[in-house]
Amino acid sequence: MTKNDWHQSYQEALLETDWMKMGERLHTAESNIHQRRLVLSQDHGGTEEEGAALVNAMSGLRVLRMNVASWLERQNLGGTLPTKLRSQISEDR
C-alpha cells in the first residue's frame, strides 16, 4: 500500500456524488488508510506529514460517514432503503 493508493481512494470518497455508492467508497478508503498505517507501523517508514495526513483523512471520513448516515435516515422515513445499505453506512457511527 503506497501513499497514492490510500490517497486516491480517500479522494474518490470525498468526491462521490451518488449517496447510494458512498458506503462502498467510505469502506474502501478507510480500509486503505488502515492498511497504510499498518505498513508504516511495521517498517517505521513514511513521514510525519503522511502520518498527520492519515489521521486527518480518517477524521474527514468519519464526518462524511455521519453525514451519509443522516441522509440515509432522512431518506428512510418511508422504510424504503435496503437494510444492507443502511448497515454499511452506519457501521462506524
Side-chain angles (χ1 to χ4, degrees), residues 82-93:
T83 302
K84 181 179 178 185
L85 179 60
R86 283 194 312 268
S87 65
Q88 180 184 25
I89 296 296
S90 60
E91 65 187 19
D92 287 337
R93 254 181 108 190

Side-chain angles (χ1 to χ4, degrees), residues 2-57:
T2 67
K3 179 180 180 183
N4 290 337
D5 293 336
W6 75 260
H7 196 261
Q8 180 175 343
S9 63
Y10 172 66
Q11 289 287 330
E12 289 170 356
L14 291 180
L15 297 174
E16 181 59 65
T17 59
D18 185 340
W19 290 93
M20 302 300 279
K21 294 179 182 177
M22 188 67 70
E24 181 180 334
R25 297 276 191 208
L26 287 168
H27 178 75
T28 299
E30 290 165 341
S31 177
N32 287 345
I33 289 169
H34 286 299
Q35 288 175 9
R36 181 63 177 164
R37 291 179 79 180
L38 180 62
V39 166
L40 294 179
S41 72
Q42 291 174 345
D43 71 6
H44 306 290
T47 63
E48 281 187 42
E49 291 82 10
E50 184 178 7
L54 288 164
V55 170
N56 290 337

Side-chain angles (χ1 to χ4, degrees), residues 58-75:
M58 283 303 290
S59 295
L61 291 175
R62 273 193 290 280
V63 170
L64 184 56
R65 184 176 288 284
M66 288 189 300
N67 288 338
V68 172
S70 176
W71 178 84
L72 285 174
E73 287 174 8
R74 288 191 308 272
Q75 298 306 307

